[in-house]
Amino acid sequence: MRRLGIRARVTAAFALGALVLSVILAAITYTLVRSETLRSEQSTDQRQAFVAASLIHAGLRASNPDIPVLLGSLGVPAGSIPILAYQGSWYSTSLGAVRDSLPPGLRRLVTSGSAATQRFELNGIPNFAVGVHLAGTGASYFEVFSMANLHHTLDILFFSLASAAGATTLGGLGVGRWASQRVLAPLRETARAAAAIAGGRLDTRLVAGDADLADLATSFNSMVEALQRRMRRDARFASDVSHELRSPLTTIQTAVQVMQHRREELPARSAQALDLLSVEVDRFERLIQDLLEISSSEGARMALEEVDPGELLLQCIAATGVTGFPVDVDPALSGAVLKADKRRFERVVANLVENAQMHAGGVTRVSATRIGNSVQIAVEDAGPGVPENERQVIFDRFARGSAARRRAAGRGTGLGLSLVEEHARLHGGHVWVEDRPSAGSRFVVELPLSTPDT
């Protein structure tokens, strides 16, 4: 049961409860009905046997009684057989009913002077026998009643109750499924809201339709509001820090440029130190630019335009200034329309190309392919590939894959791919990395297409 989901467990619990309850009720009903029916039937049979015994007793007290005629005049009901033990002989209206048809214990008890009853089976048929000793005549009267019809009726009752129990169990299964759907509906709504928030829709809120779930909705909404405030603070902090750092960075860059103009006058060790300083200042500038880009991406509005995705890709590649690789545009993209923020789209392409050039041996191919109602922008490289366990991590902020750490230590900021993922998400798309069929990695950005009038 622990391996099943909540819905399956609730449904199974209802079905099991219905089964147990219906079995208990069916067992009680069957036991009571069977007991009362047997008691009533046996009571009726006893009265019938005692009446017949009285008539036989009266007939035997007459002189020269005709036993067969006396037994035939009893008028016993159908299904019962009278048997008389008189003067060492056994008499009956049925050819098959003889002395040995009666249970030995019942015979001994009655012939010794007592009245007795007993249920027994004869040839697989249930019977009920009543024996009466006829005082003063030396005779004993027995009457055997067939209980086949009664047991058949009880069998029908048993199967009816079993069928009712099965139907009740199925009903419990249906009720459990319905109840689990109703009970889990708020959880599904919560899951949808959480997925929307994870997708960036931080304005999503839960509406409590049930008083019992009001606390959950309030706590959930408070959590989202706290998350929004935290993200705004983080974005504002990154933006403020980045802006504050630009002024001293500009001063440092100016000083480095002045020193670069007089590099020939510096000793060799000082010139080497100046080169290292220049590289780190450039890296620091890229880091500040990326931080400002992330700050402007969070909560900023999209300047969407209807563009030709293939043509826009060619323009973005040309803007990077990187050449020496083919750019393939799917003919199926002819006439396709992409609603995109050109600046963000260009940054996506530039970051992927820069990532390939810095960390993966260079770009080998760029393509734009139509897949259904989406366009896939793919940048392939000649690097060693991205390990399976790093393919999601590399899109985190300040994360750098093992290949980047080996090949370009100190050159990247760890924000390029994070910006790619952020811009793709703002366009309603997503990004991932996969292996190329031959060697290297293939970074794919998938964005939804639209029609010109939507």
Side-chain angles (χ1 to χ4, degrees), residues 161 172 229 241 430 440 443:
L161 291 174
R229 290 193 296 269
V241 169
H430 59 289
F443 285 82

Side-chain angles (χ1 to χ4, degrees), residues 7-8 20 67 99 104 122 154 261 304 330 407 415:
R7 181 175 177 181
V20 172
I67 302 301
R99 174 179 176 274
L122 181 63
L154 291 176
H261 288 306
L304 296 177
D330 189 351
R407 298 171 61 88
L415 293 174

Side-chain angles (χ1 to χ4, degrees), residues 303-376:
L304 296 177
E305 301 178 47
E306 293 183 351
V307 297
D308 183 320
E311 181 179 339
L312 181 59
L313 175 63
L314 294 174
Q315 294 174 1
C316 294
I317 293 297
T320 64
V322 181
T323 58
F325 54 85
V327 180
D328 300 328
V329 177
D330 189 351
L333 286 172
S334 176
V337 175
L338 173 68
K339 280 190 175 182
D341 184 316
K342 287 185 177 181
R343 183 187 66 82
R344 297 179 189 274
F345 186 92
E346 182 178 353
R347 192 60 190 273
V348 166
V349 176
N351 281 9
L352 290 178
V353 171
E354 181 181 352
N355 181 73
Q357 292 295 111
M358 293 178 61
H359 307 302
V363 180
T364 59
R365 179 174 177 266
V366 177
S367 63
T369 308
R370 181 164 189 164
I371 305 294
N373 200 37
S374 301
V375 58
Q376 288 187 357

Side-chain angles (χ1 to χ4, degrees), residues 165-217:
T168 303
T169 303
L170 292 177
L173 189 67
V175 172
R177 185 174 180 82
W178 173 81
S180 64
Q181 288 178 338
R182 295 293 300 272
V183 170
L184 295 178
L187 293 181
R188 289 195 295 271
E189 184 63 27
T190 304
R192 284 193 291 268
I197 292 169
R201 294 165 51 191
L202 297 181
D203 57 341
T204 304
R205 294 294 184 273
L206 278 182
V207 178
D210 193 315
D212 294 331
L213 299 176
D215 291 342
L216 172 63

